[in-house]
Amino acid sequence: MSIPNTHIRAVLDGYLERFPKEAEAAGPLVRALDGGHELSSPKEFRVGHATAGAVVLDPCWRVLMVRGGDRGAWLLPGGHLSGGDGALDEAALARLTEATGLAPERVEAGAPGGSGRPLPLDLDVHGVPEDPDRGEPEHTHFAFLYLYRATAATVPARGGDSGALAWRPHTDVPSARLAAKISQTLAASRAGSTTRG
Protein backbone atom coordinates (compact mmCIF):
# COMPACT_ATOMS: atom_id res chain seq x y z
CA MET A 1 0.00 0.00 0.00
CA SER A 2 1.43 3.37 -0.94
CA ILE A 3 0.53 6.64 0.71
CA PRO A 4 -2.37 8.17 -1.25
CA ASN A 5 -2.39 11.73 -2.51
CA THR A 6 -5.42 12.38 -0.28
CA HIS A 7 -3.22 11.82 2.78
CA ILE A 8 -0.44 14.02 1.38
CA ARG A 9 -3.02 16.75 0.68
CA ALA A 10 -4.47 16.50 4.21
CA VAL A 11 -1.00 16.78 5.75
CA LEU A 12 -0.15 19.70 3.48
CA ASP A 13 -3.41 21.48 4.37
CA GLY A 14 -2.69 21.09 8.10
CA TYR A 15 0.87 22.28 7.57
CA LEU A 16 -0.20 25.38 5.63
CA GLU A 17 -2.80 26.17 8.26
CA ARG A 18 0.05 26.24 10.78
CA PHE A 19 2.51 28.02 8.45
CA PRO A 20 0.36 30.08 6.04
CA LYS A 21 3.31 32.22 4.87
CA GLU A 22 4.74 29.12 3.14
CA ALA A 23 1.83 28.73 0.71
CA GLU A 24 3.78 30.18 -2.21
CA ALA A 25 6.77 27.88 -1.63
CA ALA A 26 4.38 24.90 -1.49
CA GLY A 27 2.84 25.90 -4.84
CA PRO A 28 4.68 23.23 -6.90
CA LEU A 29 3.39 20.52 -4.55
CA VAL A 30 -0.17 21.85 -4.75
CA ARG A 31 0.04 21.85 -8.56
CA ALA A 32 1.43 18.28 -8.58
CA LEU A 33 -1.43 17.14 -6.33
CA ASP A 34 -3.98 18.94 -8.53
CA GLY A 35 -2.39 17.27 -11.57
CA GLY A 36 -2.87 13.79 -10.14
CA HIS A 37 0.83 12.94 -9.97
CA GLU A 38 1.55 9.81 -7.91
CA LEU A 39 3.63 11.63 -5.31
CA SER A 40 4.41 8.61 -3.13
CA SER A 41 6.27 6.93 -6.01
CA PRO A 42 10.03 7.57 -6.15
CA LYS A 43 9.70 7.03 -9.92
CA GLU A 44 7.38 10.03 -10.36
CA PHE A 45 9.62 12.45 -12.24
CA ARG A 46 7.15 14.63 -14.18
CA VAL A 47 7.43 17.15 -11.35
CA GLY A 48 8.86 15.16 -8.48
CA HIS A 49 7.78 13.15 -5.48
CA ALA A 50 7.30 13.28 -1.73
CA THR A 51 9.97 12.16 0.73
CA ALA A 52 9.98 11.98 4.53
CA GLY A 53 12.63 12.86 7.07
CA ALA A 54 13.24 13.33 10.76
CA VAL A 55 14.53 16.24 12.82
CA VAL A 56 15.62 14.49 16.02
CA LEU A 57 16.59 16.71 18.98
CA ASP A 58 18.49 15.37 21.97
CA PRO A 59 18.09 16.80 25.52
CA CYS A 60 20.85 19.32 24.71
CA TRP A 61 18.91 20.50 21.63
CA ARG A 62 21.38 19.06 19.17
CA VAL A 63 20.13 17.49 15.94
CA LEU A 64 20.97 13.94 14.82
CA MET A 65 22.57 14.15 11.38
CA VAL A 66 24.00 11.67 8.89
CA ARG A 67 27.09 12.30 6.78
CA GLY A 68 26.43 11.77 3.09
CA GLY A 69 29.35 9.67 1.76
CA ASP A 70 32.89 9.66 3.16
CA ARG A 71 33.26 13.43 3.40
CA GLY A 72 29.89 14.62 2.23
CA ALA A 73 27.60 17.15 3.81
CA TRP A 74 25.78 16.49 7.06
CA LEU A 75 22.13 15.71 6.25
CA LEU A 76 18.94 14.99 8.14
CA PRO A 77 17.95 11.30 8.11
CA GLY A 78 15.24 10.67 5.55
CA GLY A 79 14.47 9.30 2.14
CA HIS A 80 11.93 8.13 -0.40
CA LEU A 81 8.56 6.72 0.52
CA SER A 82 8.06 2.98 0.15
CA GLY A 83 5.05 0.80 -0.58
CA GLY A 84 4.89 -0.30 3.07
CA ASP A 85 4.44 3.24 4.44
CA GLY A 86 0.94 4.01 5.66
CA ALA A 87 1.40 7.71 6.47
CA LEU A 88 4.04 10.41 6.11
CA ASP A 89 4.90 10.48 9.83
CA GLU A 90 5.29 6.67 9.81
CA ALA A 91 7.58 6.98 6.77
CA ALA A 92 9.71 9.56 8.60
CA LEU A 93 10.20 7.15 11.52
CA ALA A 94 10.98 4.25 9.19
CA ARG A 95 13.58 6.29 7.25
CA LEU A 96 15.06 7.45 10.58
CA THR A 97 15.56 3.85 11.70
CA GLU A 98 16.98 2.80 8.33
CA ALA A 99 19.43 5.69 8.21
CA THR A 100 20.56 5.71 11.83
CA GLY A 101 19.55 2.51 13.59
CA LEU A 102 17.64 4.60 16.14
CA ALA A 103 14.57 2.59 17.14
CA PRO A 104 11.19 4.39 17.09
CA GLU A 105 10.64 3.70 20.80
CA ARG A 106 13.73 5.79 21.59
CA VAL A 107 12.11 8.97 20.26
CA GLU A 108 8.97 10.92 21.09
CA ALA A 109 6.93 12.63 18.39
CA GLY A 110 6.52 16.39 18.34
CA ALA A 111 3.14 18.02 18.94
CA PRO A 112 0.20 16.32 17.19
CA GLY A 113 -1.84 18.06 14.54
CA GLY A 114 -5.60 18.53 14.63
CA SER A 115 -6.21 14.94 13.48
CA GLY A 116 -4.15 13.53 16.34
CA ARG A 117 -1.32 12.66 13.94
CA PRO A 118 1.88 14.72 14.08
CA LEU A 119 2.25 17.59 11.64
CA PRO A 120 5.57 18.18 9.90
CA LEU A 121 7.81 20.85 11.36
CA ASP A 122 8.96 21.80 7.88
CA LEU A 123 8.25 21.20 4.20
CA ASP A 124 11.50 21.44 2.26
CA VAL A 125 10.90 21.82 -1.47
CA HIS A 126 14.21 21.43 -3.30
CA GLY A 127 15.51 20.49 -6.71
CA VAL A 128 17.39 17.27 -7.37
CA PRO A 129 19.85 17.33 -10.29
CA GLU A 130 19.74 14.84 -13.13
CA ASP A 131 21.47 11.52 -12.38
CA PRO A 132 22.31 9.76 -15.65
CA ASP A 133 23.77 6.75 -13.80
CA ARG A 134 20.37 6.05 -12.27
CA GLY A 135 18.42 7.19 -15.29
CA GLU A 136 16.74 9.94 -13.28
CA PRO A 137 15.94 13.33 -14.80
CA GLU A 138 16.08 16.56 -12.85
CA HIS A 139 13.10 16.67 -10.48
CA THR A 140 11.83 18.07 -7.18
CA HIS A 141 11.69 16.53 -3.72
CA PHE A 142 8.86 17.57 -1.41
CA ALA A 143 10.46 16.60 1.91
CA PHE A 144 8.07 16.40 4.87
CA LEU A 145 10.28 16.80 7.96
CA TYR A 146 8.90 15.66 11.31
CA LEU A 147 10.15 16.69 14.73
CA TYR A 148 11.15 14.04 17.27
CA ARG A 149 12.88 14.23 20.63
CA ALA A 150 15.36 11.56 21.61
CA THR A 151 14.87 10.05 25.02
CA ALA A 152 18.64 9.48 25.24
CA ALA A 153 21.49 11.57 23.85
CA THR A 154 23.56 8.65 22.58
CA VAL A 155 24.17 8.10 18.88
CA PRO A 156 23.13 4.54 17.97
CA ALA A 157 26.01 2.09 17.67
CA ARG A 158 24.71 0.83 14.34
CA GLY A 159 24.99 3.34 11.54
CA GLY A 160 21.97 2.15 9.59
CA ASP A 161 22.27 2.35 5.81
CA SER A 162 24.42 5.45 6.02
CA GLY A 163 27.89 6.37 7.17
CA ALA A 164 28.79 8.53 10.13
CA LEU A 165 26.25 9.87 12.60
CA ALA A 166 26.61 12.80 14.95
CA TRP A 167 24.63 15.11 17.20
CA ARG A 168 25.25 18.55 15.74
CA PRO A 169 24.15 22.08 16.69
CA HIS A 170 20.64 22.80 15.45
CA THR A 171 22.03 25.70 13.46
CA ASP A 172 23.78 23.13 11.20
CA VAL A 173 20.52 21.99 9.60
CA PRO A 174 20.34 22.59 5.84
CA SER A 175 17.91 25.53 5.92
CA ALA A 176 17.79 28.77 7.88
CA ARG A 177 13.99 28.50 8.00
CA LEU A 178 14.21 25.08 9.68
CA ALA A 179 16.87 26.33 12.14
CA ALA A 180 14.53 29.22 13.05
CA LYS A 181 11.64 26.78 13.63
CA ILE A 182 13.84 24.67 15.91
CA SER A 183 14.85 27.82 17.81
CA GLN A 184 11.16 28.75 18.20
CA THR A 185 10.42 25.23 19.48
CA LEU A 186 13.28 25.55 21.96
CA ALA A 187 12.04 28.96 23.14
CA ALA A 188 8.46 27.67 23.56
CA SER A 189 9.72 24.62 25.47
CA ARG A 190 11.81 26.78 27.79
CA ALA A 191 8.87 29.15 28.33
CA GLY A 192 6.65 26.17 29.15
CA SER A 193 9.21 24.86 31.65
CA THR A 194 9.41 28.27 33.33
CA THR A 195 5.60 28.53 33.54
CA ARG A 196 5.31 25.04 35.06
CA GLY A 197 8.21 25.65 37.47
Side-chain angles (χ1 to χ4, degrees), residues 96-103 155-163 165:
L96 171 64
T97 300
E98 291 164 6
T100 69
L102 187 64
V155 172
R158 182 174 79 82
D161 293 340
S162 322
L165 302 174

Side-chain angles (χ1 to χ4, degrees), residues 88-171:
L88 288 168
D89 58 305
E90 293 171 9
L93 272 178
R95 300 304 86 79
L96 171 64
T97 300
E98 291 164 6
T100 69
L102 187 64
E105 59 270 11
R106 293 193 54 206
V107 297
E108 298 169 356
S115 65
R117 294 199 79 95
L119 278 174
L121 178 64
D122 196 45
L123 173 61
D124 179 23
V125 179
H126 62 274
V128 177
E130 178 183 12
D131 187 342
D133 293 338
R134 293 183 176 185
E136 296 181 355
E138 181 179 352
H139 61 283
T140 300
H141 276 180
F142 305 106
F144 289 85
L145 302 174
Y146 286 84
L147 176 66
Y148 299 97
R149 296 189 186 181
T151 55
T154 56
V155 172
R158 182 174 79 82
D161 293 340
S162 322
L165 302 174
W167 292 103
R168 300 184 56 84
H170 77 273
T171 52

Side-chain angles (χ1 to χ4, degrees), residues 72-89:
W74 287 99
L75 307 170
L76 295 169
H80 290 113
L81 305 180
S82 73
D85 296 325
L88 288 168
D89 58 305

